[in-house]
Amino acid sequence: MIKHHLIKTNFGCRCTICRWQWRSIPTSQCPGVPRFARWSDVPTYLKTLDQLSKVGLKPRDKGDPSACLQPKEGKAPRYWLYDQRQAVPLHKRISVVGESIQQQRAIAAKARQLWEKGEIYTELHRGVVIEAIPQVLEKFIRFKARAKLRGIPGKFSAAGIEANVNLPTHLEAVEHAKRFIDQILDTGIPNNIPARKNLHAYLEAWGGCFIRLDESGSGFYLRVSCEPEEKQQPKQEKISIPTFFSMDGEWWEVLGVKPDASQVEVKKAYRRLAGLFHPDINKSEEAHDRTVALNRAYEQYRELVRTVAQKT
């Protein structure tokens, strides 16, 4: 919830963000997206999460809704709405052919045992050790696969991969990784992918990226090396982590960019800092506070961009 961006009208005032009108200045907060009071007013292409799920879809970004249903003033939105035209297919569960009920139960029991003990299941595939990392997600058991590859043909000889998809059992997570490992070991890391052209130049500059395997969003985080690990020279200088001018300052101070920076520069700065201070990578005590400050600053910038776009 944010502050309304009000303009004067013949009938009082109107918010350019939620498009609501009042006779006097409102005291409530703005949902940050167009607001509808009745279902009959909602366009047919706007759907709730449940409505998208029933037709096998999900929003690209759950945290970035297109609108909301908010019948009463001052109350929180009852439903967040997403543009069905921009939705992507849900992840499809990877099925293991030929399993009997007893085998499925045994696999599920083994998965629960690994999850409860926090043990890591490993499997060797084409000389690559694949690890199935148990994930603690409320009451659900999930596993994420990761591996380190060497001897990759082409420009990059070594790489580390980690799946972005959590699967119900350790065996499914490993099978998910095997297909991607086969692709890399057979043909190398592709230079052109649907989301990015000239991928090799990007990897040389940043050392890693996310590769999407299909339209559902399933893929792997990739970190590459131009030389085999055994030939790499130890780094003499320690990577310096940029510091904020002020964690409570303006959005450009927190992100370390100029106030007139382009959207590409702002997005690149946010992603770089978010990667440095992600809790899975940075174990320092201040990592969490810095991550919160980064997210808050980037959201302020996005709201500013939306406001300017609506005015024009």
Side-chain angles (χ1 to χ4, degrees), residues 254-269:
V254 177
L255 295 175
V257 298
K258 297 179 180 180
D260 58 349
S262 66
Q263 292 190 34
V264 174
E265 292 173 336
V266 173
K267 189 173 184 179
K268 184 181 292 185

Side-chain angles (χ1 to χ4, degrees), residues 70-196:
Q70 187 179 2
K72 294 184 180 181
E73 182 66 23
K75 299 290 185 179
R78 181 176 295 177
Y79 296 102
W80 294 107
L81 305 174
Y82 301 87
D83 193 334
Q84 185 175 1
R85 299 169 299 183
Q86 299 178 4
V88 297
L90 286 168
H91 292 303
K92 293 183 179 180
R93 187 178 186 275
I94 300 174
S95 58
V96 182
V97 181
E99 288 182 358
S100 64
I101 295 179
Q102 290 79 6
Q103 288 175 323
Q104 292 179 7
R105 288 177 177 174
I107 293 172
K110 178 63 175 179
R112 177 170 290 278
Q113 183 181 15
L114 291 169
W115 176 68
E116 291 175 346
K117 293 184 177 180
E119 297 178 355
I120 297 178
Y121 172 82
T122 60
E123 188 171 322
L124 190 65
H125 176 67
R126 296 183 62 171
V128 178
V129 178
I130 307 174
E131 298 179 327
I133 312 299
Q135 304 290 310
V136 181
L137 301 175
E138 297 181 356
K139 297 181 180 179
F140 300 99
I141 303 173
R142 291 293 185 267
F143 291 84
K144 180 183 292 186
R146 70 184 181 191
K148 291 184 178 180
L149 287 69
R150 298 181 180 87
I152 301 173
K155 191 168 189 176
F156 304 99
S157 59
I161 64 170
E162 182 173 332
N164 75 317
V165 176
N166 295 307
L167 295 170
T169 71
H170 52 296
L171 297 185
E172 292 177 67
V174 169
E175 290 298 322
H176 178 62
K178 284 181 180 179
R179 290 190 291 273
F180 187 52
I181 291 173
D182 288 337
Q183 175 185 336
I184 292 181
L185 292 181
D186 291 338
T187 61
I189 298 173
N191 189 33
N192 294 320
I193 59 176
R196 189 181 301 278

Side-chain angles (χ1 to χ4, degrees), residues 8 24 90 143 170 184 190 202 211 295:
K8 291 184 179 180
S24 59
L90 286 168
F143 291 84
H170 52 296
I184 292 181
Y202 182 87
I211 294 184
N295 293 337

Side-chain angles (χ1 to χ4, degrees), residues 6-305:
L6 302 174
I7 59 174
K8 291 184 179 180
T9 65
N10 295 332
F11 302 98
C13 57
R14 175 175 173 268
C15 177
T16 60
I17 301 175
C18 67
R19 305 175 188 174
W20 211 252
Q21 299 189 65
W22 298 268
R23 297 196 177 202
S24 59
I25 297 177
T27 58
S28 61
Q29 294 286 318
C30 176
V33 292
R35 168 192 166 194
F36 299 94
R38 299 184 297 270
W39 279 113
S40 58
D41 299 332
V42 178
T44 56
Y45 60 84
L46 292 177
K47 305 292 184 181
T48 64
L49 288 174
D50 288 340
Q51 290 171 336
L52 288 177
S53 178
K54 288 180 180 179
V55 294
L57 297 174
K58 68 175 183 178
R60 288 185 180 274
D61 185 355
K62 186 178 177 181
D64 187 20
S66 302
C68 71
L69 182 71
Q70 187 179 2
K72 294 184 180 181
E73 182 66 23
K75 299 290 185 179
R78 181 176 295 177
Y79 296 102
W80 294 107
L81 305 174
Y82 301 87
D83 193 334
Q84 185 175 1
R85 299 169 299 183
Q86 299 178 4
V88 297
L90 286 168
H91 292 303
K92 293 183 179 180
R93 187 178 186 275
I94 300 174
S95 58
V96 182
V97 181
E99 288 182 358
S100 64
I101 295 179
Q102 290 79 6
Q103 288 175 323
Q104 292 179 7
R105 288 177 177 174
I107 293 172
K110 178 63 175 179
R112 177 170 290 278
Q113 183 181 15
L114 291 169
W115 176 68
E116 291 175 346
K117 293 184 177 180
E119 297 178 355
I120 297 178
Y121 172 82
T122 60
E123 188 171 322
L124 190 65
H125 176 67
R126 296 183 62 171
V128 178
V129 178
I130 307 174
E131 298 179 327
I133 312 299
Q135 304 290 310
V136 181
L137 301 175
E138 297 181 356
K139 297 181 180 179
F140 300 99
I141 303 173
R142 291 293 185 267
F143 291 84
K144 180 183 292 186
R146 70 184 181 191
K148 291 184 178 180
L149 287 69
R150 298 181 180 87
I152 301 173
K155 191 168 189 176
F156 304 99
S157 59
I161 64 170
E162 182 173 332
N164 75 317
V165 176
N166 295 307
L167 295 170
T169 71
H170 52 296
L171 297 185
E172 292 177 67
V174 169
E175 290 298 322
H176 178 62
K178 284 181 180 179
R179 290 190 291 273
F180 187 52
I181 291 173
D182 288 337
Q183 175 185 336
I184 292 181
L185 292 181
D186 291 338
T187 61
I189 298 173
N191 189 33
N192 294 320
I193 59 176
R196 189 181 301 278
K197 303 300 181 183
N198 198 4
L199 177 63
H200 289 178
Y202 182 87
L203 290 174
E204 281 186 324
W206 297 96
C209 72
F210 172 75
I211 294 184
R212 179 179 294 177
L213 300 182
D214 53 51
E215 285 300 320
S216 69
S218 170
F220 286 83
Y221 298 103
L222 181 71
R223 293 190 177 276
V224 300
S225 173
C226 296
E227 299 179 1
E229 284 192 12
E230 57 271 13
K231 293 184 180 180
Q232 287 184 359
Q233 298 297 328
K235 296 181 179 179
Q236 300 297 328
E237 296 181 0
K238 189 176 181 180
I239 298 176
S240 59
I241 299 177
T243 58
F244 300 140
F245 291 98
S246 172
M247 291 178 63
D248 298 322
E250 299 292 341
W251 64 267
W252 63 84
E253 296 176 327
V254 177
L255 295 175
V257 298
K258 297 179 180 180
D260 58 349
S262 66
Q263 292 190 34
V264 174
E265 292 173 336
V266 173
K267 189 173 184 179
K268 184 181 292 185
Y270 169 73
R271 287 186 172 181
R272 180 171 61 89
L273 292 173
L276 289 173
F277 296 112
H278 193 281
D280 292 342
I281 300 174
N282 193 324
K283 302 300 182 181
S284 64
E285 297 180 355
E286 61 180 355
H288 173 73
D289 295 337
R290 288 180 180 269
T291 300
V292 171
L294 274 173
N295 293 337
R296 181 171 59 247
Y298 189 59
E299 182 59 29
Q300 290 174 356
Y301 172 75
R302 291 181 63 187
E303 291 172 7
L304 178 62
V305 172

